[in-house]
Amino acid sequence: MAGWRRVFELTMTHEEIERLRVLSRSRTEPASRVSRAQMLLAYRENPSFCAVGQRVGVHHQTVQRCVERALAYGPLAAIEDRPRPGKEPVITPEAKAWLVSLACDKAKEHGYPHELWTTRLLARHAREHGPGAGHECLARLVQGTVCKILGQGEIKPHKVRYYLERRDAEFEQKMAEVLCVYREVQVLKKAAAKSKKSGKPVAIVSYDEKPGIQAIATTAPDLPPVPGTYATFARDHEYKRHGTLSLLAGIDLLSGKVHALVKERHRSREFIEFLKLLDAAYPASTTIKLILDNHSAHISKETQAWLAAKPAGRFEFTFTPKHGSWLNLIEGFFSKFARSILRHIRVTSKHELKERIMAGIDDVNRHPVIHTWSYKLAEAA
C-alpha cells in the first residue's frame, strides 16, 4: 500500500511572489521559466502536486521536483535550468588560440590571392594545415565553428575599419593657428554686435576646392511621381558623361557670403583668378585672411609671385595641417551644397552644369548663413 505524500510548506517573500507573478504572465520569457513560476504560485495556493499538475498541465512529479528545488535553493533559483556537464569540447583551447592567431594575419601572407580571410577560406586553411601544426582536432573544422570561435574572440578578420593617421608632426600647432583665426572671427562678431565702430577692416574667408563635379545627362526623360501609384521620380539607369568641373569657393565667416568660381581645373592660375575675385570684392584697405589647405596650387611659385606683387598685408594665409581638412569650415558648406543642389543633378552639358552651380551659389547668397566654429574653440589662445 502506497504511503501518504508529504505536503511541503513553501514560504516566499513578497518580492519573490511579485517576481513569480510577473514571470507567470510573461510572453517573452522561455516557456519552462513561465511554467515553473505558475507551478510555485499554484502550489502556494493549493499544496497538492496532483491539483497543481492538472491546473498547469504537467505531470505531478514535475510539480514535486520544482517544489523540492524551491525548498532547497529558493523560489527564484528553482525556475532556472540546472547546469549540466555537457559534451566534452572537441576543439582544444590551444587549437582555438592557433586559429585566432591565424585570423589576425592577412590571407595574402599565407600564399592566398585574397587580401583578407573569409570564414570559408579560414576553415579550409585550418583543415589543411591545422593537423600539421599539432591540432588534429581541426581536421574536420567547418565554417560555422570558425564563426563561433571568432565571435568568442570578438574579432572580424573579414572586415576593415578605416582610420586617419596623423602624418603631420606639427598638427597640434597648425590646428591651434586655425582655431585662433576662428577665435578672431568670434571676437569680431561680438564687437560688431556691440558697436558699429570697427578697427582695422578684416575679411576672413574659409576656402577650398570641390573637384570632380560630374556633368551627367539622362538618356531618357525622368518620369514624375503619380499620387497613389508611384511615390518617387523614375529615372533610366543609363546615363551619358560630359566631363567634370571644379568648384572653387570661399565663405566669408563674418557675413556668410560665398565667393565662387567654376572652372575646368583647379591649378595655380585658377586659384590666382579666385584671389583676384576676392581682391575686387573687398576695399583696398581690408586685410583678407584665408583658411586653406596645402594644395600645390596654394603654395606654387606662380601663386607666390602674384602675392608678392600685392601690397604687404593684403592677403594672409593660414594653412590647415595635413589630413586636417575637417578643420576648414568650408567643408561643411560643400557637404550641404552637394546634398541640396548637386544630388541627383542631371544636365545636358558642362556649360549648363556651371550655370546651375552658380545659380545655386546666388541662391545661397540671397539668404546667407553665418557659420560658426565651436569645436575646441575655448582651447585657442
Side-chain angles (χ1 to χ4, degrees), residues 246-268:
S246 294
L247 171 62
L248 292 73
I251 183 169
D252 190 316
L253 301 183
L254 296 173
S255 66
K257 181 179 180 181
V258 179
H259 306 275
L261 289 175
V262 179
K263 295 293 178 180
E264 297 274 348
R265 301 171 68 180
H266 55 287
R267 301 163 295 179
S268 297

Side-chain angles (χ1 to χ4, degrees), residues 197-246:
K197 297 181 180 180
S198 59
K200 182 180 178 182
V202 177
I204 301 177
V205 178
S206 176
Y207 168 83
D208 202 3
E209 299 94 0
K210 183 175 179 59
I213 303 175
Q214 296 191 68
I216 298 178
T218 57
T219 57
D222 288 346
L223 303 179
V226 177
T229 306
Y230 302 108
T232 65
F233 279 91
R235 175 173 289 169
D236 186 32
H237 285 285
E238 294 187 3
Y239 55 88
K240 184 178 179 181
R241 298 179 185 272
H242 291 297
T244 61
L245 293 175
S246 294

Side-chain angles (χ1 to χ4, degrees), residues 160-237:
V160 176
R161 180 179 61 85
Y162 288 90
Y163 72 98
L164 190 60
E165 185 176 353
R166 289 186 178 182
R167 293 188 173 88
D168 194 333
E170 301 177 351
F171 188 95
E172 298 294 338
Q173 177 184 345
K174 293 180 180 179
M175 180 176 70
E177 293 175 358
V178 175
L179 294 180
C180 284
V181 177
Y182 290 140
R183 169 60 69 85
E184 183 181 357
V185 172
Q186 189 181 61
V187 171
L188 291 173
K189 287 179 181 177
K190 291 181 179 179
K194 292 180 179 179
S195 174
K196 295 183 179 180
K197 297 181 180 180
S198 59
K200 182 180 178 182
V202 177
I204 301 177
V205 178
S206 176
Y207 168 83
D208 202 3
E209 299 94 0
K210 183 175 179 59
I213 303 175
Q214 296 191 68
I216 298 178
T218 57
T219 57
D222 288 346
L223 303 179
V226 177
T229 306
Y230 302 108
T232 65
F233 279 91
R235 175 173 289 169
D236 186 32
H237 285 285

Side-chain angles (χ1 to χ4, degrees), residues 139-381:
R140 301 179 64 181
L141 184 68
V142 296
Q143 181 184 3
T145 306
V146 171
C147 295
K148 292 179 181 179
I149 295 174
L150 296 182
Q152 293 170 359
E154 296 185 354
I155 61 172
K156 301 176 181 179
H158 59 289
K159 291 188 176 181
V160 176
R161 180 179 61 85
Y162 288 90
Y163 72 98
L164 190 60
E165 185 176 353
R166 289 186 178 182
R167 293 188 173 88
D168 194 333
E170 301 177 351
F171 188 95
E172 298 294 338
Q173 177 184 345
K174 293 180 180 179
M175 180 176 70
E177 293 175 358
V178 175
L179 294 180
C180 284
V181 177
Y182 290 140
R183 169 60 69 85
E184 183 181 357
V185 172
Q186 189 181 61
V187 171
L188 291 173
K189 287 179 181 177
K190 291 181 179 179
K194 292 180 179 179
S195 174
K196 295 183 179 180
K197 297 181 180 180
S198 59
K200 182 180 178 182
V202 177
I204 301 177
V205 178
S206 176
Y207 168 83
D208 202 3
E209 299 94 0
K210 183 175 179 59
I213 303 175
Q214 296 191 68
I216 298 178
T218 57
T219 57
D222 288 346
L223 303 179
V226 177
T229 306
Y230 302 108
T232 65
F233 279 91
R235 175 173 289 169
D236 186 32
H237 285 285
E238 294 187 3
Y239 55 88
K240 184 178 179 181
R241 298 179 185 272
H242 291 297
T244 61
L245 293 175
S246 294
L247 171 62
L248 292 73
I251 183 169
D252 190 316
L253 301 183
L254 296 173
S255 66
K257 181 179 180 181
V258 179
H259 306 275
L261 289 175
V262 179
K263 295 293 178 180
E264 297 274 348
R265 301 171 68 180
H266 55 287
R267 301 163 295 179
S268 297
R269 64 189 68 178
E270 284 80 19
F271 179 58
I272 292 174
E273 188 174 346
F274 181 84
L275 294 179
K276 291 179 179 178
L277 176 69
L278 292 181
D279 194 29
Y282 295 98
S285 59
T286 302
T287 299
I288 304 174
K289 297 185 177 182
L290 272 79
I291 301 173
L292 67 173
D293 59 24
N294 287 279
H295 189 273
S296 58
H298 306 162
I299 55 177
S300 65
K301 293 181 179 179
E302 187 176 354
T303 300
Q304 295 299 324
W306 186 87
L307 291 172
K310 303 304 294 181
R314 175 60 167 170
F315 285 93
E316 293 182 10
F317 288 1
T318 300
F319 295 102
T320 59
K322 189 174 183 180
H323 287 178
S325 59
W326 54 273
L327 287 166
N328 203 341
L329 206 147
I330 189 68
E331 298 293 346
F333 167 77
F334 281 154
S335 175
K336 183 177 180 180
F337 193 79
R339 286 182 281 112
S340 60
I341 295 178
L342 300 180
R343 184 168 178 257
H344 299 313
I345 193 169
R346 292 295 183 265
V347 294
T348 58
S349 64
K350 287 199 291 186
H351 178 70
E352 181 185 349
L353 177 61
K354 178 179 179 179
E355 291 182 340
R356 296 273 295 275
I357 292 174
M358 293 308 299
I361 297 295
D362 293 339
D363 183 71
V364 170
N365 285 333
R366 274 194 289 270
H367 307 281
V369 176
I370 300 178
H371 296 260
T372 302
W373 183 275
S374 58
Y375 178 71
K376 286 192 174 183
L377 195 61
E379 301 178 15

